[in-house]
Amino acid sequence: MKKEVFLKNAAVLTVSSLILRLLSLLLRGWLSYQIGVGGIGEYQLILSVFLPAVSLATGGISLTVTRLTSLALGEQRETRIRSGVHRCMAFSLCFSLGACVLLDFLALPLSRTFLSGVASAHCLWILSAGLPFMSVSSCIRGYFLAMRCTIRPALCEGFEQISGIVLILLAFSLGKPATLESACLFMMAASTLSEILSCLFSILLYRGHALRFLPAHQEPYPQVGRSIRHITLPGTLSYAARNCLNMAVNLLIPMGLMQYGAGKDAALAQYGMLEGMVIPLLTFPSVFLTSVSSLLIPEVAQSMAAQNRPGTRAVASRALQAALLFSIPVTCFFFLFGSPIGTLFYGRSEAGEYLRMLAPLTPLWYLDTIVDSLLKGLDQQTPSFLYNTLDAAVRTALIWLLLPKFGLQGYIAILFLCSIGNAFLSLHRLLKVTGAPIRWRRWVLIPAGCCLLCGEGMIRLLGAAPPETGLFLGLPAAGLLSFLLMKHFHCFARVKPG
């Protein structure tokens, strides 16, 4: 892909994702005032039970469509693309209907055992109706990414999220839910309806794009079933296994906190604060990387298909450099300015303390996003599946063993241990496959020193100012000074892999 086209597509995805995730953060802040931190915890628990079904419905199908379409483009066989996309849609619809039936069957026993009873089961039944629509949307998104068309999927995602937010606001203003159960029902109904509307909008955009850019003549895509088995099934199993284990983790956390001595409401509040408020805020800046990571899949897939190993190595090296040079400053600024950021978004000082505590994890999470995308594009989805499953399994076992003894501090220690292990395994595999170099001094040590020095200097300079003033003035100033220092030390210089 030409550099200009790649940058344009990355910019479109970044801006759209930035706006949407900011709206999502603001919605969470508003909901925390409407239903409380404990309500956020209950809402997060219901979603954690729903996510394994989403994995079965969508799984690796988007990656499969992207890979098949990219290969057809690389071989100049555009007449195969429609056939490949439609076969993938049929496959994903079958899986999504199966996931819908499975979730409907398990909703009541899971809700009675781990959630708030029948009311939570009603929420899961409502959410299950959106699974087939999610699977179709996932296929269409994979097609658009392979065609290097980012505006249309950005429009679909924006339509879905904005319509969901509008529906939630309308439900709360018109319905005025009196209980947490009714509030959750309103939110899940709004989410499902927005998925349906977004799917219909995606289909319209796909048909228009295919009529305009694909040949009228079609031919069957050879060995689609084999490709689906090879690409989709490992991805689907990976997502499903990981989300099942993550569901176990999320259900075990409140139970472990209660065994440690917290009451049910306090346990849900602690869980909601950490998983529903602090971690989404820490991962919010990663929108700048997730947009690029989705575009890396077709980029490295076509490079691999052309057996261009130096080109693959160069793409991997530049992606790792961008991930580290972005995530290290974010980590430092969350650590230094976490308290006013938490107060600004959620009005709670304890949120800021947790932001500072978990800030060192952000480079691992951000880097893992890029590395996973590169591995998928390099046909390394099976090792990625094994690493992610191992991470979730170890996390589940440690939470079951340690949380009742050490409480929330034990969970934070588990987060550090598992995040380090998963990032190490994935990065080691990528470096082995591509041979891409990492410049630890220029990409990690120097940026960290520059950002900590500039950030601490601005805090001391504005020490007498209110926290909000220090945040809005000190953070941009520290960022600019850090950028200039990093540029002076040649941190942004392009590496030519040997």
Side-chain angles (χ1 to χ4, degrees):
M1 187 196 304
K2 293 182 179 179
K3 180 180 178 181
E4 294 79 7
V5 177
F6 185 91
L7 293 176
K8 176 186 174 183
N9 290 339
V12 170
L13 286 179
T14 299
V15 171
S16 63
S17 298
L18 181 64
I19 295 171
L20 296 177
R21 293 185 79 170
L22 180 59
L23 289 174
S24 179
L25 272 181
L26 294 175
L27 178 65
R28 281 180 179 261
W30 180 79
L31 285 173
S32 69
Y33 287 101
Q34 299 296 316
I35 61 178
V37 182
I40 295 290
E42 182 71 24
Y43 172 66
Q44 199 72 23
L45 280 178
I46 294 172
L47 289 182
S48 70
V49 175
F50 177 59
L51 282 179
V54 175
S55 303
L56 289 175
T58 60
I61 197 65
S62 179
L63 172 64
T64 304
V65 175
T66 299
R67 289 275 300 275
L68 292 177
T69 306
S70 297
L71 289 174
L73 290 171
E75 296 171 358
Q76 296 183 344
R77 301 302 295 268
E78 290 86 351
T79 52
R80 297 175 175 176
I81 292 177
R82 273 199 186 94
S83 171
V85 173
H86 295 166
R87 290 281 296 277
C88 289
M89 281 185 182
F91 176 87
S92 66
L93 277 173
C94 293
F95 256 66
S96 64
L97 291 173
C100 182
V101 171
L102 183 63
L103 181 60
D104 288 345
F105 179 74
L106 295 176
L108 194 56
L110 285 173
S111 298
R112 284 175 172 169
T113 305
F114 298 106
L115 302 175
S116 298
V118 179
S120 297
H122 289 158
C123 292
L124 291 171
W125 287 331
I126 291 172
L127 287 172
S128 69
L131 290 174
F133 300 94
M134 293 176 69
S135 68
V136 173
S137 297
S138 184
C139 291
I140 294 174
R141 175 174 172 79
Y143 162 79
F144 281 134
L145 287 176
M147 297 296 290
R148 272 72 169 187
C149 175
T150 54
I151 294 178
R152 287 171 175 82
L155 287 174
C156 296
E157 189 176 354
F159 183 81
E160 175 194 336
Q161 191 148 347
I162 292 173
S163 62
I165 291 173
V166 170
L167 289 170
I168 288 175
L169 295 176
L170 285 175
F172 273 77
S173 60
L174 300 178
K176 294 181 173 58
T179 64
L180 176 60
E181 289 77 12
S182 59
C184 285
L185 282 173
F186 284 170
M187 288 188 287
M188 302 311 173
S191 176
T192 299
L193 184 56
S194 67
E195 288 287 355
I196 295 172
L197 295 174
S198 175
C199 178
L200 297 175
F201 185 53
S202 299
I203 291 173
L204 290 175
L205 292 181
Y206 164 72
R207 287 176 60 85
H209 188 276
L211 288 172
R212 183 178 177 185
F213 293 103
L214 294 183
H217 172 68
Q218 301 181 44
E219 63 175 298
Y221 204 117
Q223 298 182 327
V224 173
R226 180 181 178 184
S227 298
I228 289 174
R229 288 194 302 271
H230 177 66
I231 303 172
T232 307
L233 289 183
T236 300
L237 291 174
S238 172
Y239 290 134
R242 188 175 188 181
N243 282 326
C244 282
L245 290 169
N246 285 337
M247 178 185 72
V249 166
N250 288 316
L251 295 177
L252 285 171
I253 292 172
M255 294 175 60
L257 293 174
M258 286 189 284
Q259 292 174 2
Y260 180 69
K264 181 180 179 180
D265 291 341
L268 279 176
Q270 290 179 17
Y271 169 77
M273 174 70 70
L274 205 61
E275 293 287 336
M277 298 167 68
V278 172
I279 290 179
L281 192 52
L282 282 171
T283 56
F284 168 71
S286 68
V287 64
F288 294 98
L289 294 177
T290 52
S291 304
V292 174
S293 69
S294 61
L295 295 173
L296 287 173
I297 296 175
E299 184 80 1
V300 295
Q302 288 195 14
S303 182
M304 184 186 69
Q307 298 183 345
N308 182 9
R309 184 172 176 80
T312 303
R313 188 164 58 244
V315 171
S317 179
R318 289 197 294 271
L320 293 175
Q321 181 183 20
L324 289 170
L325 290 179
F326 177 76
S327 61
I328 295 300
V330 169
T331 296
C332 296
F333 295 140
F334 266 125
F335 179 77
L336 293 172
F337 296 91
S339 296
I341 292 174
T343 304
L344 173 68
F345 275 90
Y346 299 121
R348 291 175 171 84
S349 58
E350 60 268 30
E353 294 305 314
Y354 284 127
L355 281 174
R356 298 192 66 201
M357 195 180 301
L358 296 178
L361 288 175
T362 50
L364 302 175
W365 293 341
Y366 292 13
L367 191 64
D368 192 53
T369 299
I370 290 291
V371 171
D372 274 359
S373 295
L374 289 169
L375 288 176
K376 290 172 184 175
L378 292 166
D379 200 23
Q380 296 290 314
Q381 58 268 10
T382 299
S384 180
F385 155 66
L386 294 175
Y387 302 150
N388 291 332
T389 304
L390 177 64
D391 168 46
V394 171
R395 191 173 305 198
T396 304
L398 290 176
I399 285 174
W400 181 65
L401 291 171
L402 301 181
L403 208 60
K405 296 180 181 179
F406 300 101
L408 197 60
Q409 299 302 317
Y411 177 59
I412 291 173
I414 292 167
L415 275 179
F416 273 87
L417 178 64
C418 293
S419 298
I420 291 170
N422 187 44
F424 172 79
L425 290 173
S426 299
L427 183 60
H428 179 267
R429 181 68 182 181
L430 177 68
L431 298 181
K432 182 179 179 181
V433 171
T434 64
I438 292 185
R439 303 292 186 256
W440 295 104
R441 187 173 68 89
R442 286 188 180 182
W443 298 354
V444 178
L445 298 179
I446 292 177
C450 293
C451 295
L452 290 174
L453 177 65
C454 295
E456 184 64 28
M458 293 307 303
I459 289 174
R460 291 181 179 275
L461 183 63
L462 300 172
E468 293 79 9
T469 304
L471 176 63
F472 287 113
L473 292 180
L475 184 55
L480 178 60
L481 291 174
S482 300
F483 172 79
L484 295 175
L485 278 176
M486 290 162 62
K487 188 174 182 181
H488 172 75
F489 287 110
H490 308 289
C491 296
F492 302 105
R494 177 177 294 186
V495 175
K496 295 181 179 179

